[in-house]
Amino acid sequence: MSDTETLVRDIEPDDGLGAAKKTLTEALLYLNAVTVTFDGFRALNELSFTVDPGEMRAIIGPNGAGKTTMMDVITGKTRPDKGDVFFNGGTTDLTRLDETEIATLGIGRKFQKPTVFESHTVLDNLRLALKGQRSALPNIFRRETAAERECIDAIFETIRLTEHRDRLGGALSHGQKQWLEIGMLLAQDPKLLLVDEPVAGMTDAETAQTAELLREINANGHSVVVVEHDMTFVRDLGVRVMCLHEGSVLAEGTLDQVSANERVIEVYLGR
Amino acid sequence: MSTSETRPPALLTTSGLVFLGVLGAAVVLVPALNLLTAPDSALHVPTYVVSLLGKYLTYALLALSVDLIWGYVGILSLGHGAFFALGGYAMGMYLMRQIGPRGVYGDPVLPDFMVFLNWKELPWFWYGFDLFPFAALMVLLAPGILALVFGWFAFRSRVTGVYLSIITQAMTFALLLAFFRNDMGFGGNNGLTDFKDILGFNIQADGTRVVLFVLSAVALGLGYVLCRFLVRSHFGKVLVAIRDAETRVRFTGYRAENYKLVAFVVSAMLAGIAGALYVPQVGIINPSEFSPANSIEIIVWVAVGGRGTLVGAALGAVLVNYAKTYFTSGLLAPYWLFMLGGLFVAVTLFLPKGIVGTFYDWRARRRASDDIPGAEPAAAPKPAE
Amino acid sequence: MLLALAVLSAAALSAAALAGRAEAQDVGGALAQLATNKYDDTEAALSVLALSGDPAAVGIVSALAEGRLVFGGTPPRVFIQGEGGALLDPLTRQPVADAPAVKPVRVNNRVRRAIEAASGALSLVSPDPAKRLEAAQAVGRSRDVAALPALDAVLAKETDPKVKSALALARASIVIGQAGVSEADRIAAIEVVGAQGNQDALALLRSVPADASPAVKDAAAAAIAGIERNLALWGAAQNVWYGLSLGSVLLLAAIGLAITFGVMGVINMAHGEMVMLGAYTTFVVQELIRTHNPGLFDWSLIIAIPLAFLFTGLIGVIIERTVIRFLYGRALETLLATWGISLILQQAIRTLFGPTNREVGAPSWMSGSFEIGQLSITYGRLWIIVFALLVFVALLAVLRLTRIGLEMRAVTQNRRMAASMGIRTNWVDAMTFGLGSGIAGMAGVALSQIDNVSPNLGQSYIIDSFLVVVFGGVGNLWGTLVGAMSLGVANKLLEPYAGAVLGKIALLVIVILFIQKRPRGLFALKGRSIEA
Ligand SMILES: Nc1ncnc2c1ncn2[C@@H]1O[C@H](COP(=O)(O)OP(=O)(O)OP(=O)(O)O)[C@@H](O)[C@H]1O
Ligand SMILES: [Mg+2]
């Protein structure tokens, strides 16, 4: 306990991120001055922001701004050179954990390039993702419970893939894979969802549906961080927006505020 | 409208039943034709053929063990011969101790090669091998522990793909060199041989040979059922998921390295059992079993039969080895390596799914209308890289 | 004291002799003694002759050695029996008029030894410095106390520094074990010998008499310790040299693999057979030269190198076009298919050339060796190292500076993009594979010099080469260089402690463990494509 308190003092907010900046103990996710370099190139540069419990946040930014890298840092794929990443009100230091531990803590991730288990059926994809036993040996004798079956049925309804349940994951279309991946995220039932470009390759109608779906997920109490380039989609989400540029936060606020920002227009939106 | 209450895939599929049926028939017919027919009868199966068939069956079990990790987890082990050989050596040590004072030098305890090397005492690691249960345990533990240690290091540090293949090859190569050394205490170059009896039965006797054959068949059958059970469980699905997208599996919260490790150790133990059954039937175990070329040959059995189909692995092992026996004994002997090499090339180019995998594809296309979900995992795994 | 006097007087005597005075008397006296035909007298005469430095003495001693020194007449005189039995005056070499009946002067083993010492001592004053050097070394090796006076005499006037130090060493070698030498003299000798720093010096220092004074013993012990340290260093250096030589062989074998594996992502298990084909190319070239133009033999390797490159390169291109191009992106399948190809190639060679080793000779410039300090360096190994480095540099240059190199790198990094920019990726693939195979062929030429040329030649290198590439870091040629050299050196440094086999096993284990630590090797390429 006292450890956390010390940390609060140590990692005092240093600059004007404004009202959005919460203290460590209140935030679900807390990034402070995170820097990542690849061979001297700074992909993240003193990046700081927080995500509250139950919040949905959209992140925009030009290519190479460091959005995916940020997710890599949160999920343990990339270790930051320096900076702090805390989860659950500062109780957990994510920089000390590996991908698996972070996933078990309740952080789920959808990759920029959709990755599903190609030679498993859609149903098995969800079964694998479903929250539950993760150890190797008990899973040899695991049987599916009725509750799990219902849960999966419900997810199928949500992601509208019911009639594809017995097809192989690899046989799905790009958009369907995106949906399946979101479904798998749901099955994991994480506290925080990190969703990287979920609507790339989707039609307008599908995009709108996805925005709807994410809002629904958020309404059910999951925190969500969405990275997306599609402005219509971001507008549909109707949440706080943060613009990344060269590895740090350029602007933050409502979509209108952010898109009115001179710098954002200059580096990202264009005139 | 299907619900998620679709039946889980059956433990035994049609091809699995056919496979076990054939094995069962062999278990009945081969002994009968060996023991109950007159030696000059046209139907008589001579004892050496019984042992030859028994040898094929142990190879089939070995191939099965490789298929479990290559077909389902994507680990291409180029060192599985090492586990086979370790199981074989454990059995060989038991058989050596059974010789007792009947060796050439008549030493009651020391095997001949130790007397020859002027050793006065049995090395500590030979203790206990006079007891069959202990030796049987070692058949499992020796390969199992090596696999555990090796796999623990390799999987934890995420050595994958060809890198893993290359270090497994280096592993078996190191063991090859080690077992060649006389002072290792495993008979050096010549290995272990001149066995007399097993559990009190004369190892040359027809009856013993037949029993060993039957045991090999039973072990293969049980090994098959075990592998089927594993791959259709939730555990097995994770394995296939690891094969296809390991990173995704980690981000889903599974410890991929533990899954791999369990599969690897099980596979090594199966290979060890195969080796233990192989040794009394061929009558010798020597370091050449560790040679990297042997291990690679196992891979081609699996590839010929069909990777990721289990039945195919067993079939491939029997077919290729039958071909080997057939061709290396006749006029065509000098061309055997051409054929084997050609087989490697032809299978990878023209039959990437192997015999059984191609058959499944063909059957699936014929039944295109009615799905057979997940009955067989896709036989064409993605490349490792 | 007495001895010191004797040495002094001998020195004075020789000096006088060298100055050209009184030689007749001494040599004459010796001749008179020889004429008595008594062993003791002969020996005494020999030592006088040895010290005389007289040109005639050389002829007398060698005549004695050859049994041509005869005596006869009254009073007895000695003569040298020349061609056709004519008797010559031993000093003037003129035929004598009144030849008496003669008998050869008798020799026994003791006398023979004295003859050797005397002729050794006499060559110490030979006008040819090379002869003097040789003589000095011979005397040092004989450690003959009798030679000491002569040594002292010539040491005083020797001007050639090389010969002088050889003389000093010879003298020290004698003094060091001799009884009754003064402490200071012996310690000085110990220093001279100790500075030599080799195995021989060690043996000499160990021969310091047990009854020597503590100071002498200390000096000897210190010198021995110094030499042992020195020898250990040289030993290590020698092992490093062997290691570099092994490393350069590994480099040659692995560098082609680094291209096919690192640049194309293709695991070529038939790579070892490309090396083997290169070695057989050398064999064929030498056979042709032997039967058609033996004079060219020294050129055989030079001729074989480009031929091996072209031949194995061509085979590589054929393999790529017929098999590997269908398997891109399926690394493990490629591994199996190329393994099959390796079996076929091995068997083909076995059918054509038989299963036994074939003899490949070394041209004259590859044989022999020279020494640097205590290092013995054979020309064969030296040339192989040079060759390996040349190939490495040439390859770097090809990749960096040529158009095909640029295209190779482009295709490696982004095949589709390269294709859309008009690069013929098919052609580049074939060329890359051909280049890798061709280099393997050149490696085969080098290996034919140090290994048995048999169908299994490639098999013995393939595992090591893979380890080198993986250890160094795939896709990085410098990594391959460092990997090859460090594995080679580590192997040879381990060998003295663990023995060849255990050392090899230890190395395999070390590499296996190393790969656990750095799964992508020493110089892993960073970047996204790898992890995906
Ligand atoms: N493993 C890596 N090695 C080297 N550079 C990397 C690595 N990962 C990311 N980068 C670099 O870091 C920068 C940020 O990359 P990142 O993928 O985070 O951008 P992004 O904001 O997600 O872009 P996009 O909108 O195109 O997805 C890029 O310049 C990228 O090249
Ligand atoms: Mg991105």
Side-chain angles (χ1 to χ4, degrees):
Chain A
M1 209 56 234
S2 67
D3 264 8
T4 323
E5 280 159 18
T6 338
L7 282 169
V8 178
R9 255 180 284 114
D10 283 355
I11 316 167
E12 213 50 55
D14 51 352
D15 61 318
L17 275 176
K21 189 111 197 183
K22 298 281 173 171
T23 57
L24 178 59
T25 42
E26 283 168 58
L28 177 67
L29 180 68
Y30 181 100
L31 270 74
N32 184 59
V34 174
T35 300
V36 172
T37 49
F38 295 109
D39 300 324
F41 171 80
R42 287 192 169 220
L44 291 186
N45 189 8
E46 304 269 325
L47 175 67
S48 309
F49 72 94
T50 59
V51 176
D52 298 337
E55 185 190 348
M56 168 137 73
R57 168 80 55 96
I59 295 179
I60 58 173
N63 297 121
K67 304 180 296 292
T68 303
T69 309
M70 170 207 76
M71 294 202 166
D72 287 347
V73 167
I74 299 171
T75 52
K77 188 171 179 226
T78 303
R79 298 248 170 262
D81 299 344
K82 62 188 184 57
D84 311 289
V85 186
F86 282 96
F87 189 58
N88 261 346
T91 51
T92 323
D93 180 356
L94 294 184
T95 58
R96 288 165 198 271
L97 304 179
D98 70 7
E99 303 101 310
T100 313
E101 286 162 331
I102 292 174
T104 342
L105 272 179
I107 298 182
R109 175 173 183 184
K110 192 203 93 55
F111 289 83
Q112 182 163 353
K113 176 172 167 257
T115 37
V116 298
F117 302 127
E118 308 233 327
S119 42
H120 278 310
T121 60
V122 173
L123 176 61
D124 278 341
N125 265 284
L126 287 182
R127 280 182 176 149
L128 283 170
L130 196 65
K131 189 175 189 166
Q133 181 58 261
R134 288 298 195 247
S135 313
L137 292 176
N139 268 336
I140 297 177
F141 305 100
R142 173 159 163 189
R143 314 207 114 243
E144 195 173 42
T145 64
E148 285 175 338
R149 229 169 283 149
E150 271 164 33
C151 185
I152 287 181
D153 281 344
I155 292 171
F156 266 125
E157 289 303 314
T158 318
I159 60 171
R160 302 178 183 88
L161 285 177
T162 312
E163 62 270 41
H164 299 289
R165 63 192 307 148
D166 292 330
R167 292 182 65 197
L168 293 185
L172 297 183
S173 74
H174 186 81
Q176 285 169 330
K177 281 186 189 165
Q178 300 266 44
W179 282 86
L180 175 55
E181 219 185 334
I182 295 176
M184 289 165 74
L185 264 188
L186 281 179
Q188 263 180 271
D189 189 27
K191 284 193 186 129
L192 172 65
L193 284 80
L194 304 174
V195 191
D196 202 349
E197 306 202 9
V199 298
M202 285 193 182
T203 63
D204 288 352
E206 285 168 339
T207 304
Q209 285 172 357
T210 311
E212 174 66 27
L213 175 60
L214 286 178
R215 278 208 307 274
E216 210 175 295
I217 293 170
N218 180 234
N220 287 340
H222 302 273
S223 301
V224 184
V225 173
V226 192
V227 166
E228 194 40 85
H229 288 291
D230 186 327
M231 280 303 150
T232 332
F233 173 79
V234 176
R235 189 166 292 285
D236 281 353
L237 287 179
V239 295
R240 245 189 128 67
V241 176
M242 189 168 93
C243 180
L244 284 194
H245 176 56
E246 292 180 351
S248 28
V249 180
L250 192 65
E252 192 175 355
T254 65
L255 181 58
D256 290 331
Q257 286 168 347
V258 171
S259 40
N261 182 308
E262 277 297 307
R263 290 280 292 141
V264 175
I265 294 171
E266 190 180 321
V267 302
Y268 184 45
L269 297 173
R271 284 175 204 273
Chain B
M1 180 94 227
S2 55
T3 70
S4 40
E5 283 178 66
T6 32
R7 284 178 295 114
L11 179 60
L12 297 177
T13 56
T14 321
S15 39
L17 287 172
V18 171
F19 173 66
L20 291 181
V22 171
L23 265 187
V27 164
V28 175
L29 282 181
V30 171
L33 293 180
N34 174 251
L35 298 175
L36 304 180
T37 53
D40 51 357
S41 145
L43 288 176
H44 182 71
V45 176
T47 305
Y48 84 87
V49 175
V50 174
S51 284
L52 193 63
L53 293 176
K55 185 175 94 170
Y56 292 166
L57 294 185
T58 62
Y59 281 155
L61 181 56
L62 174 60
L64 201 67
S65 77
V66 168
D67 196 24
L68 178 65
I69 56 162
W70 186 35
Y72 292 87
V73 204
I75 300 171
L76 178 60
S77 165
L78 295 184
H80 241 56
F83 303 123
F84 180 80
L86 284 180
Y89 265 96
M91 177 57 87
M93 285 160 81
Y94 164 73
L95 296 172
M96 283 315 258
R97 297 289 309 266
Q98 289 304 295
I99 298 174
R102 286 169 291 175
V104 178
Y105 297 105
D107 190 294
V109 177
L110 294 190
D112 278 348
F113 75 88
M114 292 190 195
V115 182
F116 186 76
L117 289 175
N118 262 326
W119 290 14
K120 298 288 171 253
E121 269 177 64
L122 203 61
W124 59 268
F125 47 84
W126 276 76
Y127 287 145
F129 276 95
D130 46 338
L131 306 170
F132 184 78
F134 179 82
L137 189 67
M138 283 302 141
V139 164
L140 293 176
L141 285 188
I145 289 175
L146 175 65
L148 186 73
V149 172
F150 186 88
W152 193 77
F153 278 115
F155 301 144
R156 214 178 44 119
S157 40
R158 306 195 184 171
V159 182
T160 53
V162 290
Y163 295 86
L164 189 64
S165 302
I166 289 169
I167 60 168
T168 51
Q169 189 178 41
M171 173 194 80
T172 196
F173 187 56
L175 284 168
L176 170 77
L177 295 178
F179 274 72
F180 260 125
R181 287 163 45 87
N182 275 331
D183 24 348
M184 272 290 283
F186 295 107
N189 209 350
N190 302 322
L192 309 176
T193 188
D194 287 336
F195 309 132
K196 301 284 190 261
D197 48 31
I198 178 167
L199 286 170
F201 299 100
N202 179 357
I203 208 162
Q204 306 291 350
D206 290 0
T208 319
R209 293 285 165 141
V210 165
V211 170
L212 284 169
F213 169 82
V214 170
L215 283 177
S216 305
V218 169
L220 177 59
L222 289 179
Y224 172 75
V225 174
L226 172 72
C227 288
R228 271 300 298 171
F229 178 76
L230 286 177
V231 300
R232 64 183 266 290
S233 70
H234 193 90
F235 169 83
K237 285 178 186 152
V238 177
L239 293 184
V240 174
I242 291 173
R243 181 191 74 192
D244 290 351
E246 180 165 346
T247 324
R248 191 76 182 81
V249 172
R250 293 183 198 280
F251 283 107
T252 314
Y254 293 99
R255 279 228 165 271
E257 55 271 29
N258 290 354
Y259 281 77
K260 288 188 189 178
L261 192 57
V262 172
F264 196 58
V265 170
V266 169
S267 166
M269 287 179 165
L270 283 178
I273 295 173
L277 287 165
Y278 167 86
V279 167
Q281 300 191 71
V282 298
I284 184 170
I285 173 85
N286 63 30
S288 68
E289 299 293 340
F290 284 105
S291 82
N294 277 20
S295 293
I296 297 184
E297 219 178 298
I298 310 169
I299 305 295
V300 88
W301 306 341
V302 179
V304 167
R307 174 187 170 192
T309 61
L310 297 180
V311 174
L315 180 70
V318 174
L319 282 183
V320 175
N321 280 293
Y322 175 70
K324 186 176 190 169
T325 313
Y326 183 83
F327 289 119
T328 50
S329 56
L331 271 179
L332 293 172
Y335 303 102
W336 164 245
L337 280 180
F338 285 126
M339 289 185 234
L340 186 64
L343 194 62
F344 271 97
V345 178
V347 167
T348 42
L349 285 187
F350 306 118
L351 209 63
K353 296 184 170 186
I355 297 172
V356 173
T358 310
F359 168 72
Y360 284 161
D361 276 4
W362 171 79
R363 194 178 58 180
R365 239 177 292 123
R366 259 192 23 174
R367 298 186 195 163
S369 47
D370 45 325
D371 268 350
I372 37 164
E376 310 295 341
K382 296 211 311 179
E385 294 259 308
Chain C
M1 198 61 212
L2 199 75
L3 200 108
L5 263 181
V7 170
L8 272 179
S9 61
L13 202 127
S14 310
L18 289 167
R21 272 199 298 116
E23 70 261 36
Q25 185 197 341
D26 296 315
V27 175
L31 287 175
Q33 269 182 312
L34 283 171
T36 62
N37 196 25
K38 291 201 186 103
Y39 292 134
D40 286 346
D41 285 349
T42 310
E43 221 184 324
L46 276 170
S47 57
V48 170
L49 284 173
L51 285 175
S52 70
D54 187 303
V58 179
I60 298 170
V61 172
S62 64
L64 179 60
E66 289 155 23
R68 289 186 293 111
L69 194 70
V70 293
F71 71 99
T74 36
R77 289 169 55 202
V78 285
F79 309 95
I80 290 174
Q81 201 155 36
E83 310 273 300
L87 295 183
L88 311 173
D89 183 280
L91 293 175
T92 60
R93 291 261 172 169
Q94 294 306 313
V96 282
D98 47 343
V102 290
K103 283 202 301 189
V105 178
R106 292 186 301 165
V107 279
N108 63 2
N109 279 339
R110 219 175 65 216
V111 172
R112 270 191 209 101
R113 266 198 301 280
I115 293 174
E116 267 166 38
S119 52
L122 281 170
S123 33
L124 284 174
V125 294
S126 148
D128 178 1
K131 276 240 175 70
R132 295 205 299 276
L133 185 66
E134 207 175 289
Q137 283 163 348
V139 172
R141 270 197 300 279
S142 76
R143 302 188 64 195
D144 185 354
V145 181
L148 206 49
L151 270 178
D152 283 320
V154 290
L155 196 53
K157 63 140 284 232
E158 181 60 60
T159 50
D160 186 317
K162 253 182 158 171
V163 181
K164 197 171 175 96
S165 71
L167 286 171
L169 178 64
R171 182 183 180 279
S173 314
I174 297 172
V175 167
I176 210 166
Q178 197 187 348
V181 179
S182 83
E183 188 168 283
D185 205 11
R186 210 196 293 275
I187 289 178
I190 286 174
E191 262 161 32
V192 172
V193 171
Q196 208 53 25
N198 56 12
Q199 211 70 45
D200 297 342
L202 211 53
L204 281 175
L205 288 169
R206 296 222 168 91
S207 72
V208 168
D211 57 354
S213 73
V216 169
K217 278 189 171 161
D218 285 352
I224 286 177
I227 290 180
E228 276 174 345
R229 229 175 304 125
N230 197 21
L231 281 182
L233 274 179
W234 281 112
Q238 184 78 56
N239 281 331
V240 168
W241 166 253
Y242 287 144
L244 289 179
S245 147
L246 175 64
S248 64
V249 169
L250 288 179
L251 177 66
L252 276 174
I255 200 171
L257 204 61
I259 294 191
T260 48
F261 187 23
V263 177
M264 307 175 76
V266 166
I267 318 293
N268 182 12
M269 294 295 277
H271 187 80
E273 277 57 46
M274 298 293 155
V275 176
M276 185 260 295
L277 288 181
Y280 272 93
T281 309
T282 320
F283 168 70
V284 171
V285 166
Q286 287 200 346
E287 283 302 291
L288 290 178
I289 285 179
R290 273 205 190 98
T291 45
H292 295 294
N293 193 346
L296 275 179
F297 188 76
D298 269 357
W299 292 90
S300 60
L301 292 190
I302 309 285
I303 297 169
I305 288 172
L307 287 179
F309 179 82
L310 291 178
F311 176 60
T312 54
L314 181 70
I315 302 266
V317 170
I318 293 173
I319 292 175
E320 199 278 340
R321 285 290 87 189
T322 52
V323 177
I324 291 173
R325 74 176 163 130
F326 302 106
L327 298 172
Y328 282 123
R330 292 158 62 194
L332 299 181
E333 272 84 352
T334 319
L335 191 155
L336 292 182
T338 49
W339 173 260
I341 294 172
S342 85
L343 290 184
I344 294 174
L345 290 177
Q346 269 178 50
Q347 189 61 17
I349 290 296
R350 213 169 276 136
T351 314
L352 283 174
F353 293 93
T356 48
N357 293 345
R358 285 311 182 133
E359 168 80 23
V360 170
S364 58
W365 46 272
M366 288 281 286
S367 38
S369 66
F370 63 96
E371 297 202 353
I372 301 179
Q374 312 278 315
L375 269 186
S376 149
I377 290 181
T378 50
Y379 284 106
R381 287 175 188 276
L382 183 67
W383 281 119
I384 288 176
I385 294 183
V386 169
F387 180 60
L389 293 178
L390 283 181
V391 170
F392 181 79
V393 170
L395 185 62
L396 276 187
V398 165
L399 288 183
R400 291 257 163 93
L401 306 178
T402 65
R403 166 121 201 116
I404 175 78
L406 182 69
E407 293 185 349
M408 273 179 203
R409 284 180 291 142
V411 172
T412 318
Q413 281 160 25
N414 193 332
R415 172 171 297 269
R416 217 172 310 143
M417 173 82 89
S420 67
M421 286 170 54
I423 295 176
R424 286 175 297 159
T425 52
N426 281 345
W427 188 76
V428 172
D429 286 338
M431 284 303 117
T432 314
F433 201 80
L435 180 65
S437 305
I439 293 176
M442 296 201 290
V445 179
L447 280 185
S448 72
Q449 293 299 306
I450 52 172
D451 205 339
N452 297 326
V453 177
S454 79
N456 303 326
L457 172 71
Q459 289 296 302
S460 32
Y461 289 95
I462 189 74
I463 292 183
D464 286 345
S465 317
F466 267 121
L467 288 183
V468 164
V469 175
V470 169
F471 179 71
V474 173
N476 185 326
L477 282 182
W478 287 102
T480 308
L481 176 69
V482 175
M485 290 305 169
S486 38
L487 286 191
V489 171
N491 196 348
K492 289 297 173 189
L493 286 183
L494 275 174
E495 245 172 43
Y497 304 100
V501 178
L502 269 190
K504 175 108 194 163
I505 296 173
L507 201 65
L508 285 174
V509 173
I510 290 171
V511 173
I512 290 176
L513 288 178
F514 172 83
I515 293 174
Q516 322 283 334
K517 271 270 152 251
R518 301 196 61 155
R520 303 284 162 185
L522 213 50
F523 296 97
L525 282 189
K526 284 198 193 127
R528 288 198 124 153
S529 50
I530 285 177
E531 197 63 61

